[in-house]
Amino acid sequence: MNFYIYSLSEAIAVAASVWPAGLLDAPVETVEHAGLSLIVSRIERLPTPVRWVDLQAHDAVNRTVLDGGVCVPLRYGTMLATRQDCVELIEQRIDYWRETIERVRGHVEISIKGLLPAQAEATVTERVPVVAGPGAAYLQRRRADLEAQERLVERSKHLAEEIRHELGLPSDAVIVDSRGRLIDVALLIRREFSSEGVARLRTRIETLPGRWRVGAPWPPYSFVGAPTGSGQLRPATEEHKWGEPG
Amino acid sequence: MKELDELDQVDLSLLDLVDHVLNKGVVLTGEATISLAGVDLIYLGLNVVLASVSTIERVVGERIKGDFERKV
């Protein structure tokens, strides 16, 4: 049996947690080391293809971890071979884990998603005069498209900055990802203010151009990054092959 | 916003779920976790996940995308 990993927390924070059913209905347990705990389930293989219930199980466990006070959530799909590997995962990256715990302690993530109006893209391209020659015309349209994209990115950042100022958040508590007209803003907010924050955001987005929605609070998936470290960890053992795609 | 409110809230919640659980969160990097019989485990892992995301998109994404584009 391999160790599927949901998240990491402080050992004391999850010691008394009442766990929901884990991935594939496996029991949830912890692997403790140096005052930290990986939250795991022992399974033979990941379900393939991934089902909604699998993602929901992963998230449900992490929400329980969050209820304990601090959750450093892993992306779906991490498995290690043995308990010792889990211990080494904690030990080899312990500075990262501790720094991240302090960064997200007592916080939740609020996500805002928006779709800017189509006019935001059309403004620049409509102003581009038609020139003779297909090659030059293509290059001119391409440049206009790139400039329009840059404007959208700047507009996204500006809107996110307005929201950040309105909520009084530090600069590292906001992450903006924009692709074309789509904007995804992740905010790291103190848990005790999350209800107020959501209410204020829902009022604020009514004044923003385009279509916006505010999501419910999440464990801080966007604010945990990727740990660096060295040392050997064994992945799921060779004997346990991945399931065949459905 | 009225049009967005009319979208199926379950669909939007599932999109949020995919966005957070599959697209974000800690990702282990480094050679320690990527060796399995000489094959890149993370590469394998990503393939497993990507295949699953494709399945999710095929089953659900077309409908949601269509709803979203019609509404806006």
Side-chain angles (χ1 to χ4, degrees), chain A residues 129-150:
Chain A
V130 176
V131 297
Y138 167 78
L139 289 173
Q140 195 167 24
R141 283 195 304 273
R142 181 79 180 120
R143 187 175 76 177
D145 288 343
L146 289 173
E147 289 174 352
Q149 180 63 37
E150 288 173 3

Side-chain angles (χ1 to χ4, degrees), chain A residues 64-75:
Chain A
T64 301
V65 176
L66 186 63
D67 287 341
V70 60
C71 175
V72 179
L74 270 71
R75 191 174 300 189

Side-chain angles (χ1 to χ4, degrees), chain A residues 1 18 27 44 61 64 67 79 105 107 110 169 171 175 183 198 207:
Chain A
M1 293 287 240
V18 178
E44 286 207 7
V61 170
T64 301
D67 287 341
M79 287 213 311
R105 180 189 301 281
H107 288 74
I110 306 290
L169 298 176
S171 58
I175 296 175
I183 305 174
V198 168
T207 67

Side-chain angles (χ1 to χ4, degrees), chain B residues 2-65:
Chain B
K2 182 183 176 190
E3 289 84 354
L4 269 182
D5 289 341
E6 291 169 351
L7 286 175
D8 187 339
Q9 288 301 312
V10 173
D11 291 337
L12 293 172
S13 295
L14 292 177
L15 278 177
D16 268 342
L17 182 65
V18 169
D19 184 40
H20 283 90
V21 175
L22 278 180
N23 192 40
K24 299 172 183 174
V26 172
V27 177
L28 299 184
T29 59
E31 71 283 359
T33 59
I34 58 174
S35 296
L36 175 61
V39 180
D40 192 323
L41 176 67
I42 288 183
Y43 173 77
L44 281 174
L46 284 174
N47 267 301
V48 170
V49 172
L50 286 173
S52 301
V53 168
S54 298
T55 301
I56 291 170
E57 286 180 345
R58 176 174 56 79
V59 173
V60 180
E62 294 295 329
R63 179 164 70 93
I64 294 173
K65 182 181 176 184

Side-chain angles (χ1 to χ4, degrees), chain A:
Chain A
M1 293 287 240
N2 298 295
F3 286 75
Y4 177 85
I5 306 172
Y6 301 92
S7 56
L8 177 137
S9 183
E10 291 177 315
I12 191 171
V14 294
S17 294
V18 178
W19 301 109
L23 188 63
L24 299 175
D25 289 327
V28 178
E29 52 189 276
T30 58
V31 176
E32 185 178 336
H33 176 71
L36 303 178
S37 282
L38 285 176
I39 292 79
V40 304
S41 282
R42 282 189 267 188
I43 60 175
E44 286 207 7
R45 66 191 64 162
L46 287 174
T48 52
V50 173
R51 304 163 300 169
W52 290 119
V53 293
D54 302 322
L55 303 181
Q56 289 166 331
H58 181 98
D59 184 60
V61 170
N62 284 342
R63 287 179 182 274
T64 301
V65 176
L66 186 63
D67 287 341
V70 60
C71 175
V72 179
L74 270 71
R75 191 174 300 189
Y76 176 91
T78 303
M79 287 213 311
L80 293 176
T82 68
R83 180 175 291 272
Q84 183 57 34
D85 288 313
C86 294
V87 170
E88 290 175 13
L89 174 61
I90 297 174
E91 179 60 32
Q92 291 165 11
R93 293 156 175 77
I94 197 159
D95 291 338
Y96 160 79
W97 296 123
R98 286 178 173 155
E99 289 168 6
T100 304
I101 280 177
E102 292 312 311
R103 183 164 69 246
V104 302
R105 180 189 301 281
H107 288 74
V108 296
E109 174 177 333
I110 306 290
S111 68
I112 312 170
K113 289 180 169 55
L115 181 68
L116 290 175
Q119 292 83 349
E121 281 181 329
T123 302
V124 173
T125 54
E126 283 176 351
R127 288 203 304 261
V128 174
V130 176
V131 297
Y138 167 78
L139 289 173
Q140 195 167 24
R141 283 195 304 273
R142 181 79 180 120
R143 187 175 76 177
D145 288 343
L146 289 173
E147 289 174 352
Q149 180 63 37
E150 288 173 3
R151 283 180 172 77
L152 287 171
V153 169
E154 286 305 309
R155 190 168 192 188
S156 304
K157 291 179 181 176
H158 180 71
L159 289 171
E161 192 64 14
E162 285 183 8
I163 293 170
R164 184 182 76 79
H165 274 292
E166 179 142 335
L167 296 180
L169 298 176
S171 58
D172 62 354
V174 179
I175 296 175
V176 182
D177 182 19
S178 62
R179 303 178 190 182
R181 293 164 54 202
L182 292 171
I183 305 174
D184 184 1
V185 181
L187 307 168
L188 191 66
I189 295 181
R190 296 273 328 161
R191 190 168 188 179
E192 59 267 31
F193 301 133
S194 61
S195 296
E196 177 189 343
V198 168
R200 289 173 67 181
L201 286 169
R202 284 180 173 156
T203 301
R204 180 69 174 90
I205 60 176
E206 295 287 338
T207 67
L208 298 177
R211 300 285 186 266
W212 294 78
R213 60 178 290 270
V214 179
W218 286 83
Y221 284 91
S222 299
F223 295 92
V224 292
T228 57
S230 60
Q232 287 296 318
L233 296 170
R234 283 186 299 157
T237 56
E238 274 187 72
E239 297 83 56
H240 302 293
K241 299 187 185 299
W242 302 111
E244 292 298 320

